């Protein structure tokens, strides 16, 4: 039925947009991807997310859901029956996963932007060391959350895996463009091995952009940020 159709309004380079796409892939739900141009806003986007006017937006049965991790949770609840769970079953584990997902949005994205925007070597080193401190904390969180298994959520990809995994393309692109080591076997061995597992998953492969394509987008964003600074 047409009204059952699922649409994602997004843009391929956006780490936030990857999140609901991975969640839908994990659930085996087909969706239509409506591609926005980064930096522009279609009428549909303005109408669908009038508060923040940001992507991603999910349209399901004619209703809209915004904010990437809220969409991931919605997907988990809307397609619960007989499908793999994305959020941890235990309430405490769920709270911990949500805590770190908020931390990732607070710390990882701003520090990557700071590295890309740095105008001096000092600023780049400072931003790089802040990012490394955050990733070190996430390395410790992985140890606790994974309980010795392959993912933050245990045996399979869950919400916190999606929250951090969606940053991997941008982490790689930032490393390549700036020479700053962020997530390496030497610095964060557990996360480095986890990243390989995450990117090898079928639900992720399809939506994880190639580093070189992201580098091109990052160069464009750098020029835009510089012009507006
Ligand atoms: N909190 C939101 C979510 O989780 O959905 C954030 C969404 C968001 O910021 N979307 C951006 C947007 O629509 C596109 S993604 C930007 C990628 C930058 C990567 C940098 C390392 N922005 C439009 C706007 O801000 O007006």
């Amino acid at each position: 039925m047409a009204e059952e159709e699922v649409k994602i309004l997004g843009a391929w380079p956006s780490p936030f947009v990857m999140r609901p796409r991975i969640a839908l892939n994990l659930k085996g739900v087909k969706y239509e991807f409506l591609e926005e141009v980064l930096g522009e806003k279609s009428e549909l986007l303005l109408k669908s997310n009038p508060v923040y006017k940001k992507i991603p937006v999910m349209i399901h049965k004619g209703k809209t859901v915004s904010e990437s991790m809220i969409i991931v949770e919605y997907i988990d609840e809307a397609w619960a029956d007989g499908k793999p769970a994305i959020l941890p079953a235990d309430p405490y584990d769920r709270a911990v996963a949500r805590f770190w997902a908020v931390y990732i949005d607070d710390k990882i994205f701003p520090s990557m932007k700071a590295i890309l925007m740095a105008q001096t070597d000092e600023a780049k080193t400072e931003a790089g060391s802040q990012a490394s401190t955050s990733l070190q904390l996430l390395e410790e969180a992985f140890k606790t959350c994974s309980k010795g298994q392959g993912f933050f959520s245990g045996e399979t990809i869950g919400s916190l895996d999606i929250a951090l995994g969606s940053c991997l393309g941008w982490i790689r692109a930032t490393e390549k463009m700036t020479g700053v080591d962020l997530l390496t076997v030497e610095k964060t061995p557990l996360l480095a091995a986890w990243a390989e597992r995450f990117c090898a998953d079928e639900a992720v492969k399809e939506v994880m952009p190639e580093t070189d394509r992201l580098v091109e987008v990052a160069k464009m964003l750098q020029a835009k940020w510089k012009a507006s600074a």
Side-chain angles (χ1 to χ4, degrees):
M1 232 198 318
E3 66 185 19
E4 288 287 336
E5 277 170 12
V6 178
K7 294 178 183 161
I8 296 288
L9 212 49
W12 67 265
S14 164
F16 303 106
V17 172
M18 281 186 65
R19 292 171 171 175
R21 298 181 77 193
I22 293 171
L24 288 168
N25 286 348
L26 287 170
K27 294 282 184 179
V29 175
K30 297 240 177 309
Y31 64 94
E32 188 181 349
F33 187 49
L34 303 176
E35 184 95 40
E36 289 279 319
V37 177
L38 262 191
E40 294 177 22
K41 294 175 200 291
S42 71
E43 278 306 310
L44 182 60
L45 172 59
L46 295 174
K47 194 177 86 180
S48 306
N49 186 359
V51 176
Y52 290 119
K53 305 174 180 65
K54 290 186 179 190
I55 49 171
V57 179
M58 176 170 172
I59 308 175
H60 181 214
K61 297 183 185 176
K63 291 183 181 164
T64 57
V65 189
S66 301
E67 287 296 312
S68 58
M69 290 311 291
I70 292 176
I71 306 174
V72 168
E73 295 202 9
Y74 173 77
I75 291 167
D76 197 30
E77 290 172 4
W79 287 275
D81 288 348
K83 308 271 186 172
I86 292 176
L87 261 86
D90 177 78
Y92 181 73
D93 291 347
R94 231 171 15 241
V96 170
R98 286 180 176 132
F99 170 85
W100 286 113
V102 171
Y103 180 83
I104 288 160
D105 284 4
D106 272 355
K107 302 287 183 192
I108 301 294
F109 287 110
S111 57
M112 273 193 294
K113 189 171 171 184
I115 297 169
L116 288 168
M117 280 184 74
Q119 298 296 311
T120 62
D121 281 347
E122 287 80 18
K124 195 165 86 171
T125 308
E126 170 62 24
S129 100
Q130 279 182 17
S132 292
T133 304
S134 303
L135 287 167
Q136 206 54 57
L137 276 181
L138 286 160
E139 172 92 353
E140 292 303 313
F142 181 84
K143 223 181 269 174
T144 316
C145 295
S146 66
K147 299 173 180 130
Q149 293 180 307
F151 294 98
F152 280 96
S153 294
E155 278 177 6
T156 54
I157 290 178
S159 59
L160 184 50
D161 297 287
I162 295 175
L164 184 60
S166 60
C167 311
L168 287 170
W170 278 95
I171 290 176
R172 299 287 175 240
T174 305
E175 285 175 326
K176 191 161 183 179
M177 279 181 77
T178 63
V180 176
D181 284 340
L182 293 170
L183 200 152
T184 60
V185 177
E186 293 73 28
K187 293 177 97 167
T188 51
L190 295 177
L191 288 185
W194 160 83
E196 296 230 344
R197 279 190 294 276
F198 182 81
C199 292
D201 194 285
E202 287 305 320
V204 175
K205 263 190 205 168
E206 186 218 347
V207 294
M208 179 64 74
E210 282 166 22
T211 306
D212 287 344
R213 286 185 81 201
L214 285 179
V215 166
E216 289 313 307
V217 178
K219 283 182 189 161
M220 218 177 63
L221 287 176
Q222 265 181 331
K224 210 171 110 183
W225 291 332
K226 215 171 178 176
S228 65

